Short mmCIF file of all heavy atoms in Angstrom, two decimals:
data_model
loop_
_atom_site.label_atom_id
_atom_site.label_comp_id
_atom_site.label_asym_id
_atom_site.label_seq_id
_atom_site.Cartn_x
_atom_site.Cartn_y
_atom_site.Cartn_z
N THR F 258 163.91 274.66 -43.90
CA THR F 258 162.81 274.24 -44.77
C THR F 258 163.06 274.61 -46.20
O THR F 258 162.77 273.85 -47.13
CB THR F 258 161.49 274.86 -44.28
OG1 THR F 258 161.25 274.49 -42.92
CG2 THR F 258 160.32 274.36 -45.12
N ASN F 259 163.61 275.81 -46.44
CA ASN F 259 163.94 276.24 -47.78
C ASN F 259 164.93 275.27 -48.44
O ASN F 259 164.85 274.96 -49.63
CB ASN F 259 164.55 277.64 -47.77
CG ASN F 259 163.48 278.73 -47.73
OD1 ASN F 259 162.36 278.49 -48.12
ND2 ASN F 259 163.85 279.89 -47.24
N ALA F 260 165.90 274.79 -47.66
CA ALA F 260 166.89 273.84 -48.18
C ALA F 260 166.21 272.52 -48.55
O ALA F 260 166.57 271.90 -49.55
CB ALA F 260 167.98 273.61 -47.13
N LEU F 261 165.23 272.10 -47.76
CA LEU F 261 164.54 270.84 -48.03
C LEU F 261 163.63 270.95 -49.24
O LEU F 261 163.43 269.96 -49.97
CB LEU F 261 163.75 270.40 -46.80
CG LEU F 261 164.59 269.94 -45.60
CD1 LEU F 261 163.73 269.75 -44.36
CD2 LEU F 261 165.30 268.63 -45.93
N VAL F 262 163.04 272.13 -49.46
CA VAL F 262 162.16 272.32 -50.60
C VAL F 262 162.92 272.10 -51.91
O VAL F 262 162.34 271.64 -52.91
CB VAL F 262 161.55 273.75 -50.59
CG1 VAL F 262 160.93 274.11 -51.93
CG2 VAL F 262 160.50 273.85 -49.49
N LYS F 263 164.22 272.34 -51.91
CA LYS F 263 165.03 272.18 -53.12
C LYS F 263 165.22 270.71 -53.52
O LYS F 263 165.59 270.43 -54.65
CB LYS F 263 166.39 272.84 -52.91
CG LYS F 263 166.33 274.34 -52.81
CD LYS F 263 167.61 274.94 -52.26
CE LYS F 263 168.80 274.65 -53.12
NZ LYS F 263 170.02 275.29 -52.59
N LEU F 264 164.96 269.80 -52.59
CA LEU F 264 165.12 268.37 -52.88
C LEU F 264 163.83 267.87 -53.53
O LEU F 264 162.76 267.94 -52.91
CB LEU F 264 165.41 267.59 -51.61
CG LEU F 264 165.90 266.16 -51.79
CD1 LEU F 264 167.31 266.15 -52.37
CD2 LEU F 264 165.90 265.43 -50.45
N PRO F 265 163.89 267.39 -54.77
CA PRO F 265 162.66 266.98 -55.48
C PRO F 265 161.79 266.01 -54.70
O PRO F 265 160.57 266.10 -54.73
CB PRO F 265 163.20 266.33 -56.77
CG PRO F 265 164.53 266.97 -57.00
CD PRO F 265 165.08 267.21 -55.60
N GLN F 266 162.43 265.07 -53.99
CA GLN F 266 161.69 264.04 -53.26
C GLN F 266 160.80 264.64 -52.17
O GLN F 266 159.77 264.05 -51.79
CB GLN F 266 162.64 263.02 -52.63
CG GLN F 266 163.42 262.21 -53.66
CD GLN F 266 164.76 262.85 -53.97
OE1 GLN F 266 164.89 264.08 -53.95
NE2 GLN F 266 165.76 262.03 -54.26
N LEU F 267 161.19 265.80 -51.63
CA LEU F 267 160.49 266.39 -50.48
C LEU F 267 159.76 267.67 -50.84
O LEU F 267 159.03 268.22 -50.00
CB LEU F 267 161.48 266.69 -49.34
CG LEU F 267 162.41 265.56 -48.87
CD1 LEU F 267 163.24 266.04 -47.70
CD2 LEU F 267 161.61 264.33 -48.47
N SER F 268 159.96 268.15 -52.05
CA SER F 268 159.53 269.49 -52.40
C SER F 268 158.03 269.74 -52.12
O SER F 268 157.67 270.72 -51.46
CB SER F 268 159.81 269.74 -53.88
OG SER F 268 159.43 271.07 -54.24
N ALA F 269 157.16 268.86 -52.59
CA ALA F 269 155.72 269.09 -52.46
C ALA F 269 155.28 269.14 -50.99
O ALA F 269 154.57 270.09 -50.60
CB ALA F 269 154.94 268.00 -53.20
N THR F 270 155.73 268.17 -50.20
CA THR F 270 155.34 268.14 -48.80
C THR F 270 155.89 269.33 -48.02
O THR F 270 155.19 269.94 -47.22
CB THR F 270 155.83 266.83 -48.13
OG1 THR F 270 155.23 265.71 -48.79
CG2 THR F 270 155.48 266.79 -46.65
N MET F 271 157.17 269.69 -48.28
CA MET F 271 157.77 270.80 -47.54
C MET F 271 157.16 272.14 -47.94
O MET F 271 157.04 273.03 -47.11
CB MET F 271 159.29 270.81 -47.77
CG MET F 271 160.01 269.57 -47.25
SD MET F 271 159.58 269.11 -45.55
CE MET F 271 160.06 270.57 -44.64
N ARG F 272 156.75 272.27 -49.19
CA ARG F 272 156.08 273.51 -49.60
C ARG F 272 154.73 273.63 -48.89
O ARG F 272 154.34 274.71 -48.43
CB ARG F 272 155.86 273.53 -51.12
CG ARG F 272 157.12 273.90 -51.90
CD ARG F 272 156.83 274.03 -53.39
NE ARG F 272 158.04 274.35 -54.12
CZ ARG F 272 158.55 275.57 -54.24
NH1 ARG F 272 157.94 276.59 -53.67
NH2 ARG F 272 159.66 275.76 -54.91
N GLU F 273 154.02 272.52 -48.80
CA GLU F 273 152.73 272.52 -48.11
C GLU F 273 152.90 272.88 -46.63
O GLU F 273 152.16 273.70 -46.09
CB GLU F 273 152.08 271.13 -48.24
CG GLU F 273 150.73 271.02 -47.55
CD GLU F 273 150.16 269.61 -47.61
OE1 GLU F 273 150.70 268.76 -48.38
OE2 GLU F 273 149.22 269.33 -46.87
N MET F 274 153.91 272.25 -46.00
CA MET F 274 154.17 272.57 -44.60
C MET F 274 154.59 274.02 -44.42
O MET F 274 154.21 274.67 -43.44
CB MET F 274 155.27 271.62 -44.07
CG MET F 274 154.79 270.23 -43.73
SD MET F 274 156.12 269.24 -43.00
CE MET F 274 156.58 270.24 -41.59
N SER F 275 155.38 274.52 -45.36
CA SER F 275 155.84 275.91 -45.26
C SER F 275 154.67 276.88 -45.28
O SER F 275 154.64 277.85 -44.51
CB SER F 275 156.79 276.22 -46.42
OG SER F 275 157.95 275.40 -46.35
N MET F 276 153.71 276.62 -46.16
CA MET F 276 152.53 277.49 -46.23
C MET F 276 151.77 277.46 -44.91
O MET F 276 151.31 278.50 -44.40
CB MET F 276 151.62 277.03 -47.38
CG MET F 276 152.21 277.19 -48.76
SD MET F 276 152.58 278.93 -49.16
CE MET F 276 150.90 279.59 -49.22
N GLU F 277 151.66 276.26 -44.32
CA GLU F 277 150.93 276.13 -43.05
C GLU F 277 151.68 276.85 -41.93
O GLU F 277 151.08 277.50 -41.08
CB GLU F 277 150.77 274.66 -42.71
CG GLU F 277 149.84 273.91 -43.66
CD GLU F 277 149.85 272.41 -43.45
OE1 GLU F 277 150.67 271.94 -42.60
OE2 GLU F 277 149.08 271.69 -44.11
N MET F 278 153.02 276.76 -41.95
CA MET F 278 153.81 277.41 -40.90
C MET F 278 153.82 278.93 -41.07
O MET F 278 153.91 279.67 -40.11
CB MET F 278 155.23 276.84 -40.88
CG MET F 278 155.30 275.44 -40.29
SD MET F 278 156.98 274.85 -39.97
CE MET F 278 157.46 274.29 -41.60
N MET F 279 153.72 279.38 -42.33
CA MET F 279 153.60 280.81 -42.58
C MET F 279 152.29 281.35 -41.96
O MET F 279 152.28 282.39 -41.30
CB MET F 279 153.64 281.10 -44.07
CG MET F 279 155.06 281.02 -44.69
SD MET F 279 154.99 281.02 -46.50
CE MET F 279 154.05 282.52 -46.82
N LYS F 280 151.22 280.60 -42.17
CA LYS F 280 149.92 281.03 -41.61
C LYS F 280 149.92 281.02 -40.09
O LYS F 280 149.23 281.80 -39.44
CB LYS F 280 148.82 280.10 -42.12
CG LYS F 280 148.53 280.24 -43.62
CD LYS F 280 147.48 279.22 -44.06
CE LYS F 280 147.22 279.32 -45.56
NZ LYS F 280 146.22 278.32 -46.02
N SER F 281 150.75 280.13 -39.52
CA SER F 281 150.84 280.03 -38.06
C SER F 281 151.81 281.02 -37.46
O SER F 281 151.95 281.12 -36.23
CB SER F 281 151.25 278.60 -37.65
OG SER F 281 150.25 277.67 -38.04
N GLY F 282 152.52 281.76 -38.30
CA GLY F 282 153.43 282.80 -37.81
C GLY F 282 154.84 282.32 -37.52
O GLY F 282 155.64 283.07 -36.95
N ILE F 283 155.17 281.08 -37.89
CA ILE F 283 156.51 280.56 -37.62
C ILE F 283 157.50 281.04 -38.70
O ILE F 283 158.67 281.29 -38.41
CB ILE F 283 156.51 279.01 -37.59
CG1 ILE F 283 155.67 278.53 -36.40
CG2 ILE F 283 157.92 278.47 -37.46
CD1 ILE F 283 155.51 277.02 -36.33
N MET F 284 157.00 281.14 -39.92
CA MET F 284 157.87 281.50 -41.04
C MET F 284 157.34 282.72 -41.76
O MET F 284 156.14 283.00 -41.74
CB MET F 284 157.95 280.34 -42.06
CG MET F 284 158.77 279.16 -41.61
SD MET F 284 158.70 277.81 -42.81
CE MET F 284 159.06 278.68 -44.36
N GLU F 285 158.25 283.43 -42.42
CA GLU F 285 157.87 284.49 -43.33
C GLU F 285 157.81 283.86 -44.72
O GLU F 285 157.99 282.64 -44.90
CB GLU F 285 158.89 285.63 -43.29
CG GLU F 285 158.95 286.33 -41.95
CD GLU F 285 159.98 287.44 -41.91
OE1 GLU F 285 160.80 287.49 -42.86
OE2 GLU F 285 159.98 288.21 -40.96
N GLU F 286 157.58 284.70 -45.74
CA GLU F 286 157.43 284.16 -47.09
C GLU F 286 158.71 283.43 -47.53
O GLU F 286 159.82 283.90 -47.27
CB GLU F 286 157.13 285.29 -48.08
CG GLU F 286 156.80 284.81 -49.46
CD GLU F 286 156.31 285.96 -50.34
OE1 GLU F 286 156.17 287.07 -49.84
OE2 GLU F 286 156.13 285.72 -51.54
N MET F 287 158.51 282.30 -48.17
CA MET F 287 159.65 281.49 -48.60
C MET F 287 160.44 282.18 -49.67
O MET F 287 159.93 282.93 -50.49
CB MET F 287 159.16 280.12 -49.14
CG MET F 287 158.67 279.17 -48.08
SD MET F 287 158.13 277.65 -48.82
CE MET F 287 159.60 277.13 -49.67
N MET F 288 161.74 281.90 -49.68
CA MET F 288 162.62 282.43 -50.71
C MET F 288 162.75 281.41 -51.83
O MET F 288 163.00 280.22 -51.56
CB MET F 288 164.00 282.74 -50.12
CG MET F 288 164.01 283.81 -49.05
SD MET F 288 165.63 284.05 -48.32
CE MET F 288 165.82 282.50 -47.43
N GLU F 289 162.59 281.85 -53.05
CA GLU F 289 162.76 280.93 -54.19
C GLU F 289 164.24 280.78 -54.50
O GLU F 289 164.96 281.76 -54.67
CB GLU F 289 162.03 281.49 -55.42
CG GLU F 289 160.52 281.50 -55.29
CD GLU F 289 159.93 280.09 -55.25
OE1 GLU F 289 160.60 279.17 -55.77
OE2 GLU F 289 158.83 279.94 -54.72
N GLU F 290 164.66 279.53 -54.57
CA GLU F 290 166.09 279.28 -54.81
C GLU F 290 166.28 278.20 -55.88
O GLU F 290 167.15 277.36 -55.80
CB GLU F 290 166.78 278.82 -53.51
CG GLU F 290 166.76 279.90 -52.45
CD GLU F 290 167.51 279.46 -51.20
OE1 GLU F 290 167.93 278.29 -51.13
OE2 GLU F 290 167.68 280.32 -50.31
N THR F 291 165.45 278.25 -56.93
CA THR F 291 165.52 277.22 -57.94
C THR F 291 166.84 277.29 -58.73
O THR F 291 167.37 276.27 -59.13
CB THR F 291 164.37 277.37 -58.94
OG1 THR F 291 164.32 278.72 -59.41
CG2 THR F 291 163.05 277.07 -58.24
N LEU F 292 167.37 278.50 -58.92
CA LEU F 292 168.62 278.63 -59.64
C LEU F 292 169.77 277.95 -58.91
O LEU F 292 170.66 277.38 -59.52
CB LEU F 292 168.95 280.12 -59.90
CG LEU F 292 168.06 280.83 -60.89
CD1 LEU F 292 168.49 282.31 -60.98
CD2 LEU F 292 168.13 280.19 -62.26
#
Side-chain angles (χ1 to χ4, degrees):
T258 303
N259 278 336
L261 289 171
V262 165
K263 292 165 61 177
L264 194 69
Q266 296 92 327
L267 308 183
S268 182
T270 298
M271 297 312 300
R272 282 185 181 278
E273 180 185 347
M274 282 184 57
S275 297
M276 294 298 293
E277 293 171 356
M278 287 190 279
M279 284 168 54
K280 292 177 182 178
S281 296
I283 296 177
M284 287 176 49
E285 295 179 349
E286 187 173 354
M287 287 179 58
M288 297 176 291
E289 292 292 336
E290 296 184 352
T291 52
L292 290 178

